[in-house]
Amino acid sequence: MNNSIEIKENIYWIGVNDRRTHIFENYWPLPKGVAYNSYVIVDEKVVVIDTVERSRMDDYIDNLQAVLKGRTVDYLIINHMEPDHSGAIKTLLCHYPEITILGNSKTFPMLQNYYNVNVPLLEVKEGDTLNIGHHTLSFHLVPMLHWPETMVTYLNDEHILFSGDVFGAFGTLDGGIFDDQVDLDYLEEEISRYYSNIVGKYGVPAQTALKKLSPLRIDMICATHGPIWRTHIADIVAKYDKWSRYDTDEGVVIAFSSMYGHTEQMADVIARFLAEQGIKKIRIHDTSKTHPSYIINDIFRYQGVILGSCAYNGGIFPTMETLLNELENMGIKNHYLGYFGNKTWGGGAIPHFKAFAEKMKWEVVAEPNEAAGAMKPSDIEQCKAIATAMVEKLRS
Ligand code: FEO
């Protein structure tokens, strides 16, 4: 079935939806699926920009052939080598062996390591251009968004930015492909989760890229995932700016690990004290139930973080340890931290939280509390002190 869509005269979306894969990069949940967007420009030369993940190969080639009506592909531009976009390269080369692959100096070693291709390669540098007939493309390197070889391609006369993963989103394209054709409220969490989970570690490169791209007039953003932006461009750019500056809203994320409920009780008590002091954005997550993807996403939204864990084999509970590792790996900045534990005999979680706070350079708002089983009046007082100190910091 031909599922290509003309997005501008002679410029086509030839992406595919993936509703079967449960976890992206074999790690991040995909409750609403994901789209792999590829694009083709039909001019005197035919240019394909990025491909798709290899499990959707037949649909992809069908879409491309329907657009080309017998013509061949002259250039493949690789903005990003991750296999959800480079997965169709070998198949593409089987169908179009005369192709020239265009990338930068960081692209080609990866290309050889992954696919060992033997076709002409055209290396571009920052600001280089390629004339393909009526259109001219320019290339802009945005390293570490989120891999070192990442770049974006700009169609100068149409003012279209082919942005790779940048401005992408989880979620399939269910009929509509433009931002004004889809339910952005439905996709909101998938847009922010894509940023926080995939790009979030690279706030500084994101800021550098936004500054580099700011002189360009952009009428359309064609990312490799999610909707094509043409109506809400300023909104998505502002979101990326906010997220990559680690700018957050007033609110508190409470994540806890609890075996039999005592630590969860502490989380609830703290949440109640927060609410009594006017905090409305309170998000409580059980680390045994909720994937770090969602907790990380909320931490990108709200400045306050309160973590609690029961002791487990003399240490911290495994799912909380996983969350701490993820947060350390991402290096999220600018948060206030409170923490608490619960023990039956020797304790275990508190030193882990202390070390975590030091690594993250998050300001600890109050002395931690470590209860022993059910909360005593003194534990309730200490939990109240954590909540009160958090509120004061958030409003300072
Ligand atoms: Fe969508 Fe980094 O690949």
Side-chain angles (χ1 to χ4, degrees):
M1 187 186 108
N2 174 21
N3 198 29
S4 61
I5 297 171
E6 190 170 35
I7 59 173
K8 273 267 181 175
E9 189 177 5
N10 294 323
I11 304 169
Y12 298 83
W13 172 87
I14 51 168
V16 294
N17 282 313
D18 182 354
R19 299 187 177 90
R20 290 192 175 183
T21 302
H22 290 271
I23 44 176
F24 185 77
E25 294 181 339
N26 221 8
Y27 187 69
W28 305 104
L30 289 175
K32 294 178 181 173
V34 66
Y36 312 112
N37 299 334
S38 171
Y39 303 92
V40 57
I41 304 170
V42 180
D43 201 332
E44 289 173 18
K45 301 289 185 185
V46 170
V47 179
V48 171
I49 303 176
D50 294 313
T51 72
V52 299
E53 202 267 343
R54 64 182 176 182
S55 63
R56 297 296 180 278
M57 210 63 68
D58 287 350
D59 291 343
Y60 178 64
I61 295 297
D62 286 350
N63 290 347
L64 178 59
Q65 289 179 334
V67 167
L68 296 188
K69 298 183 178 68
R71 288 188 64 180
T72 190
V73 177
D74 298 289
Y75 294 103
L76 167 64
I77 294 170
I78 302 176
N79 281 326
H80 180 29
M81 267 300 298
E82 191 163 4
D84 53 329
H85 311 297
S86 66
I89 286 177
K90 288 191 93 163
T91 302
L92 201 60
L93 296 184
C94 290
H95 289 269
Y96 305 103
E98 307 301 318
I99 213 165
T100 294
I101 296 184
L102 193 148
N104 60 69
S105 62
K106 298 265 175 51
T107 314
F108 297 139
M110 293 183 188
L111 182 67
Q112 295 306 335
N113 288 338
Y114 276 29
Y115 305 113
N116 192 29
V117 302
N118 184 26
V119 295
L121 305 176
L122 177 60
E123 182 181 322
V124 295
K125 297 186 174 59
E126 174 65 34
D128 281 358
T129 59
L130 177 73
N131 183 272
I132 56 172
H134 297 97
H135 296 298
T136 299
L137 299 159
S138 64
F139 306 97
H140 306 275
L141 310 187
V142 289
M144 299 320 300
L145 269 187
H146 57 122
W147 280 20
E149 88 299 356
T150 46
M151 64 181 200
V152 298
T153 298
Y154 182 64
L155 187 56
N156 293 8
D157 45 336
E158 299 283 1
H159 313 290
I160 298 176
L161 184 71
F162 296 94
S163 64
D165 279 349
V166 186
F167 308 118
F170 290 136
T172 49
L173 295 172
D174 300 342
I177 62 163
F178 291 104
D179 56 354
D180 47 56
Q181 295 175 334
V182 303
D183 182 352
L184 289 178
D185 292 336
Y186 174 75
L187 285 178
E188 183 183 9
E189 184 169 51
E190 296 308 85
I191 295 167
S192 64
R193 213 163 51 83
Y194 187 82
Y195 175 83
S196 61
N197 293 182
I198 306 300
V199 185
K201 180 179 172 71
Y202 302 104
V204 172
Q207 279 289 307
T208 303
L210 289 174
K211 284 185 179 64
K212 175 185 279 192
L213 300 176
S214 62
L216 299 177
R217 170 182 160 183
I218 298 175
D219 293 344
M220 192 182 288
I221 296 175
C222 297
T224 44
H225 303 286
I228 296 171
W229 302 96
R230 67 177 178 185
T231 300
H232 302 284
I233 291 173
D235 292 343
I236 188 65
V237 171
K239 281 192 167 105
Y240 259 67
D241 180 45
K242 177 174 181 167
W243 293 330
S244 57
R245 285 186 288 107
Y246 303 99
D247 186 10
T248 45
D249 297 330
E250 182 184 279
V252 179
V253 182
I254 302 174
F256 72 85
S257 303
S258 186
M259 292 169 68
Y260 295 102
H262 290 130
T263 314
E264 180 174 8
Q265 197 176 45
M266 297 171 80
D268 278 325
V269 165
I270 290 172
R272 183 62 202 154
F273 283 129
L274 291 169
E276 283 179 352
Q277 294 175 75
I279 302 295
K280 288 189 175 166
K281 306 286 188 183
I282 301 169
R283 303 287 183 265
I284 300 185
H285 293 293
D286 181 340
T287 61
S288 294
K289 177 185 172 192
T290 303
H291 192 284
S293 167
Y294 298 93
I295 305 174
I296 289 166
N297 195 41
D298 275 345
I299 289 174
F300 265 88
R301 289 175 172 161
Y302 303 117
Q303 193 172 21
V305 179
I306 298 178
L307 304 173
S309 173
C310 56
Y312 192 78
N313 288 341
I316 196 166
F317 196 72
T319 53
M320 178 58 75
E321 189 167 27
T322 298
L323 176 63
L324 298 188
N325 287 340
E326 281 292 342
L327 293 171
E328 285 176 18
N329 177 270
M330 289 200 157
I332 303 171
K333 298 179 178 35
N334 296 345
H335 283 73
Y336 295 121
L337 177 68
Y339 58 91
F340 58 94
N342 203 304
K343 63 182 180 181
T344 296
W345 63 96
I350 296 299
H352 289 263
F353 286 134
K354 185 170 187 292
F356 169 78
E358 288 166 359
K359 279 185 194 158
M360 298 296 285
K361 299 186 172 60
W362 289 1
E363 183 178 340
V364 178
V365 298
E367 283 297 309
N369 178 43
E370 188 168 42
M375 295 181 81
K376 317 295 183 297
S378 61
D379 297 315
I380 294 173
E381 281 307 309
Q382 273 187 269
C383 286
K384 183 177 184 179
I386 291 171
T388 301
M390 179 61 79
V391 174
E392 285 172 0
K393 277 293 175 190
L394 293 178
R395 293 184 171 160
S396 64

